[in-house]
Amino acid sequence: MLEVKNLTKYYGDLLAVDDVSFRIEEGEFATLLGPSGCGKSTTLHAIAGLIDASSGSVHLRGKDVSDVAPYERNIGLVFQHSALFPHMTVEENLRYGLKMQNFDGDHDDQVQKYLEMVQMADHADHKPDELSGGQQRRISFARALVYEPDILLLDEPLTGLDRVLREDMRNEIRSIQQEVDVTTLHVTHDQSEALSMSDRVIVMNDGRKEQVGHPTELYERPETEFVAEFLGQSTKFQGELVDSPSPIVQAGSREIHVKTNGRFDPADGEEVSTYIRPEEITVYRSPQANGDVNTFTGTVRDIEYLGHRAELEIELGDGTVVTAFSQTSDELDIDDEVAVQFDPEKVICV
Amino acid sequence: MNLGTVRLPEMPSLSMLRDRSTAKLLMAIGLGWLTIFFIVPVVVLLFESLNFGEGSLLENYSTALSGTYLRTLGRTMAYAFITTIVCLVLAYWIAYYIAFKAKRQMLMLGFVLLPLWVAIIIRYFGVSLFFLPTGPVQQTFGTDFGVLFSTTGVIVGLTSALLPFAILPIYNSLQSIDEELINASQVLGARPMSTLRTVIFPLSLSGVIASALFVYILAAGSFLAPAILGGPGDFMMANVIEQSFSYSIPLAAALSVVFTVALLILIGIFNHYANISEVLGDL
């Protein structure tokens, strides 16, 4: 459906996008995820034709559109700050694309249908500045879909909305996307947005593609340190891999037992980063040496109460700080001595 | 119609002045200045224009509104109108280029502003030298295209003198258009000309209106352009008022009042179609 091949973009000497390639299948909801300045927006703009790539190509429905002007690409784009035309009413904003694209079909019906889809039919005659931020996003979304584009691009469309509204809009965007069945590429720096909405996530960092995969795949089996650290929380142990008799990462004086399950095959003595997610760590109230592997003692340094659970910062003997969760019924206090334990199976190795 | 507003430099607000008495003093100076040098002269002018001798009280006005004077008034408005149209077309083109195409915007704006450093009379002489029999146009083409000492000369002179005043507000309004709106228009399928017509132009209308207003008023009040570049039949109101001042101050006063009122009426009509106070809201 959409295929980006070896996309590279220089701004002067600055390399913004570095040889990025990926493809999205028909009907998929894909997300370009990365911190600001990672090149995800530049990639999106190159797909829309709003900037010229330095090299590489963009293919839409099998056709190379790299040299096609944006007004001939039949793309829908929702901008970061909605970018509705302030001198036109809501209805005129929607009609604009239909008219410019010479949309085949009844324009009135189409406008009505999409205004209803985003629940804004009552606001057809309003000017954009009479609408709230959330309403503007809805119109912007309808405007990008009304002429039935081949692909929908979302450039951080929820920027600047408050948290509750963002979460509502997230679900709504996802359900409209499925209803219309439009292939969608979404750009965001918000990992929870990316993980909750997408069929496929393309993680970018520093102009490069880090990893592509389903959200669970990225979270459970990150392939690079960046992905492991960027998605979710984790505690990192770094050291040399020693393979005797089962694989162990020697992080200072600490031995981290890991299970590589064939996915990961480093040579003996190689430097390895291991990560353990807070939800995989069990916290024991009294430090006991029960002989289990990956059991370490430490002191509770910080407790952040989150309602359904608490987030703990536990400092181990060598100063390493482990992030773990505890049930709030555990009644732990700061400076309590505790033990943490985790299953070798759950250790992520990169 | 909502036309947006032109951004103009902000005035320091009075609340910024800590001492209230200082604020009052400053205001008194301002108001005093305005009273002595504007309101009083206008009142004197109005008084001067009336005829307290023999004949009708408004005799000077009936002269001012008759024959050649009325034609001059009409000519003044027409010249100002033509100058405004020519200026707007050229200014929009230049401002568009600077705002969207030029690599070095500040340098280009510098060139636009450069002529303002030269006294206007010198610029008009420059224009006339350009078209004189010894000037480059005559030398190259063997004709001055009938520019010098003609209506065309006046329009050419006024346009060249007033163009910067037309470019700046338009440039300002083009500059403040959110680039994303232009991108949106393109992605929605509009070709560059359609984007210009349906998005860029409507959103820069406030600048166009401000430019039109500046140029029209400045052009209508022009004295030097017709005096230096025009023929005998190209006199405008300012020239006629200056001339009559030497033999009849009451007539000059009446002509001034007629001219001012006519301009105000025109601005009023203009305001009816394009809400000026909205455009210049920040003034």
Side-chain angles (χ1 to χ4, degrees), chain A residues 70-72 84 87 96 147, chain B residues 180-181 185-186 188 191 198:
Chain A
Y71 45 85
E72 284 171 339
L84 295 173
H87 58 299
Y96 192 82
Y147 51 89
Chain B
E180 293 282 54
L181 295 177
S185 168
Q186 289 196 58
L188 289 168
R191 286 160 184 284
T198 55

Side-chain angles (χ1 to χ4, degrees), chain A residues 45 48 50 70-72 75-77 79 83-88 96-97 100-101 129 143 147, chain B residues 2 178 180-192 194-195 197-200 202-203:
Chain A
H45 280 78
L50 294 171
Y71 45 85
E72 284 171 339
I75 277 173
L77 176 49
F79 290 83
L84 295 173
F85 300 124
H87 58 299
M88 299 182 194
Y96 192 82
M100 291 299 162
Q101 307 259 9
D129 62 5
R143 184 180 69 171
Y147 51 89
Chain B
N2 177 18
D178 183 356
E180 293 282 54
L181 295 177
I182 298 166
N183 286 341
S185 168
Q186 289 196 58
V187 172
L188 289 168
R191 286 160 184 284
S194 298
T195 300
R197 194 169 44 82
T198 55
V199 175
I200 298 175
L203 292 175

Side-chain angles (χ1 to χ4, degrees), chain A residues 284 289-295 341:
Chain A
Y284 295 102
N290 60 4
D292 277 357
V293 294
N294 297 345
T295 305
Q341 196 270 321

